[in-house]
Amino acid sequence: MAVIAGNWKMHKNRGEALAYLQEFAPLVAGSDREILLCVPFTALAVLAEKLATTGGIALGAQNVHWEASGAYTGEISPPMLTDLGVQYVIVGHSERRQYFGETDERVNLRLKAAQSHGLTPILCVGETAEQRQQGLTEAHILAQLAQGLVGVKLTQLIIAYEPIWAIGSGHTCQPEEANRVIGLIRKEISFLQQVGNQPADSVRILYGGSVKPDNIDDLMAMPEIDGVLVGTASLDPRDFARIVNYRQPD
Ligand code: 13P
């Protein structure tokens, strides 16, 4: 099933989140897509309560600590999220790597902790414009996967390919190029499944970076792209509903 995930980043208070849901939910009712809203910690509880009765929309957080509890001021643990009914969590988003010193080692700890508490992590990988210019895209992504996925189960996992130069820039990666890189990630995952003697379950791989209502149909027409992770366009309920309800080629 295609995964259509919104990442609200640091947007919307509780009232705005509820108003959004009221408009968004009817527009996607009965959808056969896996719809996911990754919202700020402060909006999780109020949305969880509403979604328990709405159904069809899952909740995700945008980060998680690796310990279940402890003296970690300002952090949120996996059991705190599952207690609210959260099922997914974004891990290693490029904004966390870029602005908050996130490392592959910590990404790895978060992934393992999320999985062991029953959360499905969404691991974000992707190259900078400079790395792309230097021909380092593939090597960089493979290194992020190699370091991030040590000891991580290759089931109960979603990966998002988010080229940093495409995030919030309006410059979407060409669908064919996103398809190529995602194909490469898929090959690597199936290699890691083989060498790690893990079941060859399919890990869904999403594209993220300036996904909009006017490019979603072309992106989802690509065979390797299992879904999208949407920032800016997920903030508007009508835009995001149009993305959820993308049209498939005849
Ligand atoms: P934009 O859709 O605003 O480019 O953001 C993408 C993103 O970072 C999703 O995680």
Side-chain angles (χ1 to χ4, degrees), residues 101-143:
E102 185 71 313
T103 61
D104 287 313
E105 290 69 26
R106 287 184 172 196
V107 164
N108 178 251
L109 291 172
R110 294 184 209 279
L111 291 171
K112 288 189 287 196
Q115 286 186 333
S116 72
H117 287 88
L119 291 160
T120 299
I122 304 173
L123 165 64
C124 298
V125 297
E127 79 286 0
T128 62
E130 203 175 22
Q131 286 168 325
R132 177 159 279 264
Q133 274 155 18
Q134 293 171 349
L136 297 174
T137 298
E138 294 77 4
H140 176 67
I141 291 170
L142 291 179

Side-chain angles (χ1 to χ4, degrees), residues 10 63 93-103 106 110:
M10 196 173 70
N63 195 17
H93 192 280
S94 60
E95 286 150 15
R96 297 231 48 100
R97 296 178 190 259
Q98 201 176 342
Y99 305 133
F100 303 100
E102 185 71 313
T103 61
R106 287 184 172 196
R110 294 184 209 279

Side-chain angles (χ1 to χ4, degrees), residues 9-130:
K9 307 190 180 181
M10 196 173 70
H11 293 283
K12 298 193 193 293
N13 61 25
R14 289 177 306 161
E16 290 163 340
L18 285 173
Y20 178 104
L21 190 62
Q22 202 166 13
E23 191 169 354
F24 176 67
L27 298 174
V28 298
S31 168
D32 61 356
R33 278 117 203 204
E34 198 168 323
I35 307 166
L36 172 56
L37 290 174
C38 299
V39 305
F41 291 127
T42 46
L44 286 170
V46 76
L47 286 180
E49 201 178 318
K50 271 275 180 281
L51 288 173
T53 52
T54 315
I57 301 170
L59 261 190
Q62 300 173 8
N63 195 17
V64 66
H65 196 264
W66 50 89
E67 295 291 345
S69 63
Y72 300 102
T73 302
E75 294 296 311
I76 302 288
S77 75
M80 290 171 176
L81 295 178
T82 54
D83 176 54
L84 291 173
V86 172
Q87 292 168 278
Y88 298 84
V89 60
I90 296 174
V91 172
H93 192 280
S94 60
E95 286 150 15
R96 297 231 48 100
R97 296 178 190 259
Q98 201 176 342
Y99 305 133
F100 303 100
E102 185 71 313
T103 61
D104 287 313
E105 290 69 26
R106 287 184 172 196
V107 164
N108 178 251
L109 291 172
R110 294 184 209 279
L111 291 171
K112 288 189 287 196
Q115 286 186 333
S116 72
H117 287 88
L119 291 160
T120 299
I122 304 173
L123 165 64
C124 298
V125 297
E127 79 286 0
T128 62
E130 203 175 22

Side-chain angles (χ1 to χ4, degrees), residues 107-185:
V107 164
N108 178 251
L109 291 172
R110 294 184 209 279
L111 291 171
K112 288 189 287 196
Q115 286 186 333
S116 72
H117 287 88
L119 291 160
T120 299
I122 304 173
L123 165 64
C124 298
V125 297
E127 79 286 0
T128 62
E130 203 175 22
Q131 286 168 325
R132 177 159 279 264
Q133 274 155 18
Q134 293 171 349
L136 297 174
T137 298
E138 294 77 4
H140 176 67
I141 291 170
L142 291 179
Q144 284 184 320
L145 292 174
Q147 293 170 51
L149 292 176
V150 176
V152 172
K153 280 187 283 177
L154 299 174
T155 55
Q156 197 194 321
L157 173 71
I158 294 175
I159 295 176
Y161 168 51
E162 297 208 312
I164 294 169
W165 48 271
I167 294 177
S169 65
H171 302 300
T172 322
C173 185
Q174 285 305 305
E176 292 75 13
E177 176 58 8
N179 191 64
R180 183 186 74 80
V181 177
I182 288 176
L184 188 94
I185 295 172

